Amino acid sequence: MAINNLKNEDNPALQNLRFDYLDHLESESIHIFREVAGQFERPALLFSGGKDSIVLVHLALKAFRPGKFPFPLLHIDTGHNFQEALDFRDEFASSIGEKLIVRKVADTIKEKKLTELKGKFASRNALQTFTLLDTIEEFKFDACIGGARRDEEKARAKERIFSVRDEFGQWDPKLQRPELWNTYNGRIHKGENVRVFPISNWTELDIWNYISRNNIELPSIYFAHEREVLEYEGQLVATSEFVQIDESDKVSVKKVRYRTVGDMTCTAAVASNAANVEDIIKEIIATKTSERGETRIDDKVSEAAMEDRKKGGYF
């Protein structure tokens, strides 16, 4: 039977094709995790309670159980996070018995006397780079594992799976190492750091198919729920103490969900009735915009907003 004729979701042949494809992605990611464990002395896994970092932790469980992780979980908390994600972060880390390190951007702002942005959506995204770099220095981390994917944004599409940063945490897109035949070079000089992206080759749809296949639990914020939102330039931004509401703003209660979960100041929701994983998968198949392209306010500052942040040390 030709692949093009396999249109029934319940068809065993189609299910086997999907499983083989997810198995390949899973195997590649597990290989990357084990390369990190073999090549670095003090790695850390960035874990925010968002869907991509949750998938990362599940992959790490498959890579290293029944042993403990050869790295702690690390979250750089901006103070503008969704409470649903923070609650899930703490409960999940506790349930698997792994160490969770949390460092707060608010502490860095106070210690370094940093100036926060003002305005309607005063994001701390730029400032969290200071906290991340300080934390890397504090614990002498030589590798940080993150859940970035190439399909999210054009700057991330440029980046290698093992992405070397200099002693100042900066990234130079013109100085990247070749990665041929799944061979990763983690050699670095003293003070340098490597950012590692085990799910770099995955797409948003891959993530949700994997979540469905493995019955992975997620924060409720990813599913349709009623929330008070500010309608701003075609985007739905949750009202909160961190967002400036003006008299002319249109605020209403809508049924929404989140495709990606960042800060409340820079992440918009999408109107949705998708109450389960299967419905979300159908929505993703039908959409023509990337999750960051549709919902991340901070990426719209300029054409090179993400790349500029990465060059400065952002993950």
Side-chain angles (χ1 to χ4, degrees):
M1 182 183 296
I3 292 177
N4 290 337
N5 292 330
L6 297 177
K7 297 180 180 179
N8 188 337
E9 278 294 315
D10 297 324
N11 190 306
L14 181 57
Q15 291 295 309
N16 287 334
L17 283 173
R18 189 182 75 164
F19 285 7
D20 288 344
Y21 139 76
L22 290 175
D23 285 340
H24 173 77
L25 289 174
E26 179 186 79
S27 177
E28 178 186 58
S29 298
I30 288 173
H31 168 68
I32 293 166
F33 266 113
R34 290 172 177 168
E35 283 290 305
V36 171
Q39 294 194 45
F40 298 99
E41 295 182 2
R42 299 181 69 85
L45 192 159
L46 274 288
F47 179 65
S48 64
K51 70 180 189 310
D52 296 307
S53 63
I54 292 168
V55 167
L56 276 185
V57 174
H58 277 273
L59 290 165
L61 289 169
K62 291 194 176 187
F64 301 114
R65 284 294 189 259
K68 297 283 287 183
F69 288 176
F71 42 69
L73 306 180
L74 170 65
H75 185 214
I76 304 301
D77 184 354
T78 64
H80 291 171
N81 303 101
F82 288 92
Q83 192 60 47
E84 295 95 326
L86 293 178
D87 291 342
F88 190 96
R89 176 200 69 184
D90 295 340
E91 292 171 8
F92 187 43
S94 176
S95 71
I96 63 174
E98 296 292 344
K99 181 179 180 180
L100 172 65
I101 298 170
V102 178
R103 289 294 180 268
K104 297 184 177 181
V105 174
D107 294 335
T108 306
I109 292 171
K110 183 177 180 180
E111 292 168 9
K112 294 182 178 291
K113 296 181 171 58
L114 300 176
T115 301
E116 292 197 61
L117 291 177
K118 305 295 183 183
K120 197 169 195 64
F121 305 110
S123 173
R124 285 178 172 174
N125 257 0
L127 299 183
Q128 71 178 319
T129 298
F130 291 93
T131 310
L132 174 60
L133 296 179
D134 285 350
T135 305
I136 289 172
E137 176 62 26
E138 177 186 355
F139 292 95
K140 307 301 179 187
F141 291 134
D142 51 3
C144 292
I145 306 162
R149 308 187 321 269
R150 288 188 173 121
D151 75 316
E152 291 181 282
E153 206 273 341
K154 57 189 176 185
R156 286 183 167 169
K158 295 180 181 180
E159 201 153 25
R160 298 289 191 263
I161 290 174
F162 272 32
S163 180
V164 178
R165 307 298 177 99
D166 66 20
E167 62 270 26
F168 302 105
Q170 297 175 328
W171 173 64
D172 187 343
K174 296 180 180 179
L175 296 177
Q176 298 196 74
R177 298 170 177 177
E179 292 179 341
L180 306 175
W181 305 291
N182 293 331
T183 300
Y184 306 107
N185 180 1
R187 294 181 181 179
I188 54 175
H189 298 293
K190 184 177 180 180
E192 292 180 334
N193 181 271
V194 175
R195 310 291 171 86
V196 181
F197 306 107
I199 57 173
S200 185
N201 291 330
W202 297 44
T203 67
E204 182 186 15
L205 184 58
D206 298 335
I207 292 292
W208 282 101
N209 278 330
Y210 192 78
I211 289 168
S212 175
R213 173 182 167 179
N214 290 276
N215 296 314
I216 294 174
E217 291 188 31
L218 296 174
S220 59
I221 196 170
Y222 282 105
F223 303 96
H225 60 284
E226 288 192 343
R227 186 180 290 266
E228 185 179 82
V229 294
L230 161 67
E231 299 182 46
Y232 183 80
E233 295 185 354
Q235 295 185 307
L236 304 175
V237 184
T239 58
S240 72
E241 60 183 298
F242 314 119
V243 175
Q244 178 182 308
I245 307 296
D246 301 318
E247 289 185 7
S248 60
D249 287 334
K250 182 179 179 182
V251 175
S252 59
V253 175
K254 291 185 178 293
K255 200 165 191 179
V256 300
R257 71 175 182 86
Y258 285 83
R259 292 178 69 184
T260 180
V261 177
D263 280 1
M264 299 184 76
T265 52
C266 63
T267 309
V270 295
S272 175
N273 291 311
N276 55 58
V277 173
E278 288 68 30
D279 288 343
I280 290 173
I281 289 172
K282 291 176 183 177
E283 283 191 357
I284 295 170
I285 291 172
T287 190
K288 295 182 179 179
T289 56
S290 69
E291 59 194 282
R292 290 190 72 95
E294 184 176 17
T295 65
R296 293 304 288 264
I297 300 169
D298 51 334
D299 287 349
K300 300 180 185 298
V301 174
S302 72
E303 281 292 316
M306 170 64 79
E307 185 162 330
D308 290 342
R309 292 200 302 275
K310 291 176 79 67
K311 287 178 179 178
Y314 184 75
F315 211 88

PDB file of all heavy atoms in Angstrom, residues 178-193:
ATOM      1  N   PRO A 178      31.391  22.002  12.740  1.00  0.00           N
ATOM      2  CA  PRO A 178      30.607  21.053  11.941  1.00  0.00           C
ATOM      3  C   PRO A 178      30.150  19.880  12.805  1.00  0.00           C
ATOM      4  O   PRO A 178      30.839  19.491  13.754  1.00  0.00           O
ATOM      5  CB  PRO A 178      31.600  20.602  10.870  1.00  0.00           C
ATOM      6  CG  PRO A 178      32.947  20.828  11.475  1.00  0.00           C
ATOM      7  CD  PRO A 178      32.804  22.046  12.338  1.00  0.00           C
ATOM      8  N   GLU A 179      28.980  19.355  12.504  1.00  0.00           N
ATOM      9  CA  GLU A 179      28.459  18.185  13.223  1.00  0.00           C
ATOM     10  C   GLU A 179      28.064  17.136  12.181  1.00  0.00           C
ATOM     11  O   GLU A 179      26.949  17.141  11.670  1.00  0.00           O
ATOM     12  CB  GLU A 179      27.274  18.581  14.109  1.00  0.00           C
ATOM     13  CG  GLU A 179      27.697  19.469  15.260  1.00  0.00           C
ATOM     14  CD  GLU A 179      26.554  19.905  16.163  1.00  0.00           C
ATOM     15  OE1 GLU A 179      25.394  19.826  15.740  1.00  0.00           O
ATOM     16  OE2 GLU A 179      26.827  20.336  17.297  1.00  0.00           O
ATOM     17  N   LEU A 180      29.009  16.269  11.873  1.00  0.00           N
ATOM     18  CA  LEU A 180      28.826  15.267  10.833  1.00  0.00           C
ATOM     19  C   LEU A 180      28.608  13.897  11.457  1.00  0.00           C
ATOM     20  O   LEU A 180      29.305  13.515  12.404  1.00  0.00           O
ATOM     21  CB  LEU A 180      30.045  15.240   9.910  1.00  0.00           C
ATOM     22  CG  LEU A 180      30.440  16.609   9.299  1.00  0.00           C
ATOM     23  CD1 LEU A 180      31.736  16.464   8.518  1.00  0.00           C
ATOM     24  CD2 LEU A 180      29.325  17.141   8.420  1.00  0.00           C
ATOM     25  N   TRP A 181      27.657  13.151  10.927  1.00  0.00           N
ATOM     26  CA  TRP A 181      27.383  11.776  11.357  1.00  0.00           C
ATOM     27  C   TRP A 181      27.155  11.676  12.874  1.00  0.00           C
ATOM     28  O   TRP A 181      27.655  10.778  13.548  1.00  0.00           O
ATOM     29  CB  TRP A 181      28.537  10.853  10.944  1.00  0.00           C
ATOM     30  CG  TRP A 181      28.831  10.925   9.491  1.00  0.00           C
ATOM     31  CD1 TRP A 181      28.053  10.484   8.464  1.00  0.00           C
ATOM     32  CD2 TRP A 181      29.984  11.533   8.882  1.00  0.00           C
ATOM     33  NE1 TRP A 181      28.641  10.765   7.253  1.00  0.00           N
ATOM     34  CE2 TRP A 181      29.826  11.403   7.467  1.00  0.00           C
ATOM     35  CE3 TRP A 181      31.129  12.154   9.369  1.00  0.00           C
ATOM     36  CZ2 TRP A 181      30.767  11.875   6.574  1.00  0.00           C
ATOM     37  CZ3 TRP A 181      32.062  12.633   8.472  1.00  0.00           C
ATOM     38  CH2 TRP A 181      31.877  12.496   7.102  1.00  0.00           C
ATOM     39  N   ASN A 182      26.404  12.643  13.428  1.00  0.00           N
ATOM     40  CA  ASN A 182      26.078  12.642  14.860  1.00  0.00           C
ATOM     41  C   ASN A 182      27.320  12.635  15.749  1.00  0.00           C
ATOM     42  O   ASN A 182      27.327  12.038  16.827  1.00  0.00           O
ATOM     43  CB  ASN A 182      25.183  11.443  15.203  1.00  0.00           C
ATOM     44  CG  ASN A 182      23.817  11.560  14.568  1.00  0.00           C
ATOM     45  OD1 ASN A 182      23.317  12.654  14.341  1.00  0.00           O
ATOM     46  ND2 ASN A 182      23.204  10.429  14.274  1.00  0.00           N
ATOM     47  N   THR A 183      28.366  13.283  15.278  1.00  0.00           N
ATOM     48  CA  THR A 183      29.592  13.432  16.066  1.00  0.00           C
ATOM     49  C   THR A 183      29.635  14.844  16.636  1.00  0.00           C
ATOM     50  O   THR A 183      29.598  15.814  15.890  1.00  0.00           O
ATOM     51  CB  THR A 183      30.836  13.183  15.196  1.00  0.00           C
ATOM     52  OG1 THR A 183      30.783  11.857  14.664  1.00  0.00           O
ATOM     53  CG2 THR A 183      32.110  13.346  16.027  1.00  0.00           C
ATOM     54  N   TYR A 184      29.704  14.940  17.965  1.00  0.00           N
ATOM     55  CA  TYR A 184      29.618  16.229  18.632  1.00  0.00           C
ATOM     56  C   TYR A 184      30.930  16.531  19.359  1.00  0.00           C
ATOM     57  O   TYR A 184      31.435  15.703  20.117  1.00  0.00           O
ATOM     58  CB  TYR A 184      28.458  16.238  19.629  1.00  0.00           C
ATOM     59  CG  TYR A 184      27.151  15.842  18.983  1.00  0.00           C
ATOM     60  CD1 TYR A 184      26.575  14.599  19.227  1.00  0.00           C
ATOM     61  CD2 TYR A 184      26.507  16.696  18.090  1.00  0.00           C
ATOM     62  CE1 TYR A 184      25.387  14.222  18.613  1.00  0.00           C
ATOM     63  CE2 TYR A 184      25.317  16.329  17.473  1.00  0.00           C
ATOM     64  CZ  TYR A 184      24.769  15.091  17.745  1.00  0.00           C
ATOM     65  OH  TYR A 184      23.599  14.729  17.125  1.00  0.00           O
ATOM     66  N   ASN A 185      31.448  17.729  19.111  1.00  0.00           N
ATOM     67  CA  ASN A 185      32.724  18.149  19.680  1.00  0.00           C
ATOM     68  C   ASN A 185      32.477  19.075  20.857  1.00  0.00           C
ATOM     69  O   ASN A 185      32.089  20.226  20.683  1.00  0.00           O
ATOM     70  CB  ASN A 185      33.557  18.852  18.602  1.00  0.00           C
ATOM     71  CG  ASN A 185      34.904  19.317  19.116  1.00  0.00           C
ATOM     72  OD1 ASN A 185      35.251  19.107  20.274  1.00  0.00           O
ATOM     73  ND2 ASN A 185      35.680  19.958  18.252  1.00  0.00           N
ATOM     74  N   GLY A 186      32.714  18.563  22.054  1.00  0.00           N
ATOM     75  CA  GLY A 186      32.480  19.355  23.256  1.00  0.00           C
ATOM     76  C   GLY A 186      33.743  19.929  23.871  1.00  0.00           C
ATOM     77  O   GLY A 186      33.719  20.393  25.015  1.00  0.00           O
ATOM     78  N   ARG A 187      34.843  19.920  23.136  1.00  0.00           N
ATOM     79  CA  ARG A 187      36.092  20.450  23.687  1.00  0.00           C
ATOM     80  C   ARG A 187      36.022  21.973  23.790  1.00  0.00           C
ATOM     81  O   ARG A 187      35.693  22.653  22.821  1.00  0.00           O
ATOM     82  CB  ARG A 187      37.273  20.044  22.798  1.00  0.00           C
ATOM     83  CG  ARG A 187      37.532  18.532  22.780  1.00  0.00           C
ATOM     84  CD  ARG A 187      38.722  18.209  21.902  1.00  0.00           C
ATOM     85  NE  ARG A 187      38.962  16.768  21.851  1.00  0.00           N
ATOM     86  CZ  ARG A 187      39.929  16.190  21.136  1.00  0.00           C
ATOM     87  NH1 ARG A 187      40.743  16.953  20.407  1.00  0.00           N
ATOM     88  NH2 ARG A 187      40.082  14.884  21.147  1.00  0.00           N
ATOM     89  N   ILE A 188      36.338  22.474  24.964  1.00  0.00           N
ATOM     90  CA  ILE A 188      36.282  23.915  25.184  1.00  0.00           C
ATOM     91  C   ILE A 188      37.487  24.359  26.001  1.00  0.00           C
ATOM     92  O   ILE A 188      38.112  23.554  26.710  1.00  0.00           O
ATOM     93  CB  ILE A 188      34.986  24.339  25.923  1.00  0.00           C
ATOM     94  CG1 ILE A 188      34.824  23.548  27.228  1.00  0.00           C
ATOM     95  CG2 ILE A 188      33.780  24.188  25.023  1.00  0.00           C
ATOM     96  CD1 ILE A 188      33.635  23.986  28.063  1.00  0.00           C
ATOM     97  N   HIS A 189      37.807  25.647  25.895  1.00  0.00           N
ATOM     98  CA  HIS A 189      38.855  26.244  26.718  1.00  0.00           C
ATOM     99  C   HIS A 189      38.271  26.649  28.064  1.00  0.00           C
ATOM    100  O   HIS A 189      37.056  26.775  28.225  1.00  0.00           O
ATOM    101  CB  HIS A 189      39.448  27.457  26.012  1.00  0.00           C
ATOM    102  CG  HIS A 189      40.110  27.143  24.708  1.00  0.00           C
ATOM    103  ND1 HIS A 189      41.264  26.395  24.627  1.00  0.00           N
ATOM    104  CD2 HIS A 189      39.779  27.484  23.435  1.00  0.00           C
ATOM    105  CE1 HIS A 189      41.622  26.285  23.363  1.00  0.00           C
ATOM    106  NE2 HIS A 189      40.730  26.918  22.613  1.00  0.00           N
ATOM    107  N   LYS A 190      39.136  26.881  29.021  1.00  0.00           N
ATOM    108  CA  LYS A 190      38.704  27.286  30.348  1.00  0.00           C
ATOM    109  C   LYS A 190      37.865  28.556  30.253  1.00  0.00           C
ATOM    110  O   LYS A 190      38.250  29.517  29.594  1.00  0.00           O
ATOM    111  CB  LYS A 190      39.911  27.525  31.253  1.00  0.00           C
ATOM    112  CG  LYS A 190      39.524  27.861  32.694  1.00  0.00           C
ATOM    113  CD  LYS A 190      40.750  28.016  33.573  1.00  0.00           C
ATOM    114  CE  LYS A 190      40.348  28.341  35.010  1.00  0.00           C
ATOM    115  NZ  LYS A 190      41.530  28.508  35.888  1.00  0.00           N
ATOM    116  N   GLY A 191      36.710  28.538  30.904  1.00  0.00           N
ATOM    117  CA  GLY A 191      35.826  29.694  30.914  1.00  0.00           C
ATOM    118  C   GLY A 191      34.739  29.636  29.857  1.00  0.00           C
ATOM    119  O   GLY A 191      33.736  30.337  29.964  1.00  0.00           O
ATOM    120  N   GLU A 192      34.947  28.820  28.815  1.00  0.00           N
ATOM    121  CA  GLU A 192      33.927  28.686  27.780  1.00  0.00           C
ATOM    122  C   GLU A 192      32.809  27.770  28.261  1.00  0.00           C
ATOM    123  O   GLU A 192      32.945  27.056  29.260  1.00  0.00           O
ATOM    124  CB  GLU A 192      34.542  28.143  26.492  1.00  0.00           C
ATOM    125  CG  GLU A 192      35.495  29.108  25.812  1.00  0.00           C
ATOM    126  CD  GLU A 192      36.089  28.539  24.536  1.00  0.00           C
ATOM    127  OE1 GLU A 192      36.188  27.301  24.413  1.00  0.00           O
ATOM    128  OE2 GLU A 192      36.467  29.338  23.662  1.00  0.00           O
ATOM    129  N   ASN A 193      31.719  27.783  27.535  1.00  0.00           N
ATOM    130  CA  ASN A 193      30.538  27.030  27.923  1.00  0.00           C
ATOM    131  C   ASN A 193      29.862  26.508  26.662  1.00  0.00           C
ATOM    132  O   ASN A 193      29.953  27.132  25.604  1.00  0.00           O
ATOM    133  CB  ASN A 193      29.585  27.943  28.704  1.00  0.00           C
ATOM    134  CG  ASN A 193      28.343  27.240  29.174  1.00  0.00           C
ATOM    135  OD1 ASN A 193      27.340  27.195  28.466  1.00  0.00           O
ATOM    136  ND2 ASN A 193      28.395  26.688  30.368  1.00  0.00           N
TER     137      ASN A 193
END
